[in-house]
Amino acid sequence: MTDTSRLLRAYDEQLRTDAETPSAVSVTRLGPLRLVTFLGRRGFVTYQDLGGADEAGVRALVDGAVAHFRSDGGITNVEWKTRGHDHAPGLHEALVERAFVPEEPESIMIGEAAALAVDVPLPDGVTLRQVTQESDVRAMCAMQDEVFGSTPSDASANAILRRQALDDGMELWVAEAGGRIVTAGRLEPVPGTDFAGIWGGSTRTEWRGRGIYRALTAARARSALARGKTLINSDSTEYSRPILERYGFHRVSTTTPYVWTR
C-alpha cells in the first residue's frame, strides 16, 4: 500500500465518523448520511461512503436530505461535503438540480505531525500565542471573516465559543504584530484517532509570504505531538497546499462543498 493509499484509508476510517462534527447540536441518520445541525441553524451533510448507491439511490438520498432540512424552517443554509474519491454516481447533477451551488474545491492534505514541527523564524515584531479569552476569540473570528470575504457577524465567534465550552481539546492560535492579529488557525485533536486537524488558517494579505503561516502551523504541530497525535489533516486552499507539500504532506483527495440557501 502506498503512503497516499494508507493515509486515505486512515482518513476514511478514522475521521469520517461522528468525530467529524464534534460541535453538532443534533445529528439525524438517513441511510449512510449524517444530517447535522450546527449552532445558528446551519445544516451539514456528510458520510463515510454512500453505501454503494447507484444513480437513482443517490438522488433518493439527496431528496431525503433536502426534505429533512426544508422541514426545519429555522435552517437557512446547508453544506453537502463531497469528496473526490467517493463512488457517487450522479451526485453533482442531483445536487445542482436541487439548488446546491458548488464552491471552490480544496485539497485533502495528510502528513506526519513530526514533519511540521520545525523551527520557523518569525519576522521582527511578530509573536505567536494560544488564545482562550472571549475578546481574543471574537477578534480572531472577525479577522478571519475579513480575510475569507465573509459578511462580518457574530455567528462564527459564537460557534467557536460554544465549541470551546465543550473542552474537547480544540486550540486557537494567532500571530500578532503591533497588537493586531495577522494570522490565525485552529488545532483540533480528534479523540480515539491518530489525527489532529489544522483548520481556519488565514493570513492578512499584506503579511503573506513571510513565513508566519508556516510558523503558526509548526506551533500547532508541536502541540499535536504533545497530545499524542502523529498525523495532521487539513482541507487546504491553493495558498496553503504548497506549504504542506514542502513538508512531505500528501494530497490524498479533494473536497468540494455544495451549499444550499433557503
Side-chain angles (χ1 to χ4, degrees):
M1 185 179 295
T2 66
D3 275 352
T4 300
S5 298
R6 174 180 63 84
L7 295 172
L8 181 58
R9 180 176 176 180
Y11 171 84
D12 282 338
E13 292 180 352
Q14 296 186 39
L15 295 183
R16 297 179 71 176
T17 67
D18 284 333
E20 187 178 12
T21 53
S23 57
V25 173
S26 66
V27 179
T28 300
R29 298 303 298 256
L30 177 65
L33 305 182
R34 297 201 318 281
L35 309 180
V36 181
T37 299
F38 289 119
L39 189 70
R41 311 305 297 167
R42 295 180 298 110
F44 184 72
V45 182
T46 187
Y47 40 88
Q48 193 165 64
D49 58 52
L50 291 175
D54 59 12
E55 188 168 338
V58 167
R59 287 179 177 273
L61 289 171
V62 174
D63 285 340
V66 170
H68 169 81
F69 288 115
R70 278 192 179 277
S71 70
D72 183 342
I75 296 288
T76 58
N77 63 80
V78 178
E79 176 187 333
W80 186 299
K81 186 179 178 71
T82 70
R83 276 83 166 192
H85 65 286
D86 283 346
H87 176 71
L91 179 59
H92 168 79
E93 293 78 8
L95 290 171
V96 170
E97 287 170 9
R98 288 150 185 81
F100 282 82
V101 178
E103 297 189 343
E104 287 296 316
E106 295 185 333
S107 299
I108 299 173
M109 305 295 295
I110 301 178
E112 301 290 339
L116 282 180
V118 297
D119 291 328
V120 180
L122 285 164
D124 290 343
V126 176
T127 57
L128 302 180
R129 67 184 176 104
Q130 189 178 343
V131 298
T132 57
Q133 297 299 312
E134 180 176 347
S135 58
D136 289 327
V137 173
R138 292 195 179 279
M140 181 194 79
C141 291
M143 171 264 183
Q144 290 178 315
D145 283 345
E146 178 184 336
V147 170
F148 291 136
S150 302
T151 302
S153 74
D154 291 331
S156 56
N158 290 342
I160 291 293
L161 288 166
R162 179 184 181 275
R163 172 75 184 280
Q164 196 175 39
L166 298 176
D167 194 24
D168 62 359
M170 179 187 70
E171 298 177 2
L172 309 175
W173 287 82
V174 300
E176 294 171 304
R180 185 177 187 231
I181 296 175
V182 297
T183 299
R186 305 190 308 276
L187 176 74
E188 299 191 9
V190 184
T193 75
D194 299 321
F195 285 92
I198 52 175
W199 302 101
S202 51
T203 302
R204 293 187 186 276
T205 304
E206 65 272 23
W207 288 92
R208 292 176 184 171
R210 301 173 67 177
I212 303 173
Y213 176 80
R214 284 187 289 126
L216 193 81
T217 299
R220 288 181 286 173
R222 286 191 290 270
S223 185
L225 286 168
R227 291 174 173 270
K229 303 302 180 183
T230 57
L231 295 176
I232 297 287
N233 68 289
S234 173
D235 291 353
S236 297
T237 65
E238 287 307 290
Y239 170 73
S240 56
R241 177 186 56 79
I243 296 172
L244 295 177
E245 285 180 333
R246 290 186 204 120
Y247 292 97
F249 273 53
H250 294 267
R251 181 179 184 264
V252 300
S253 187
T254 60
T255 178
T256 303
Y258 285 68
V259 177
W260 172 85
T261 303
R262 187 180 295 277

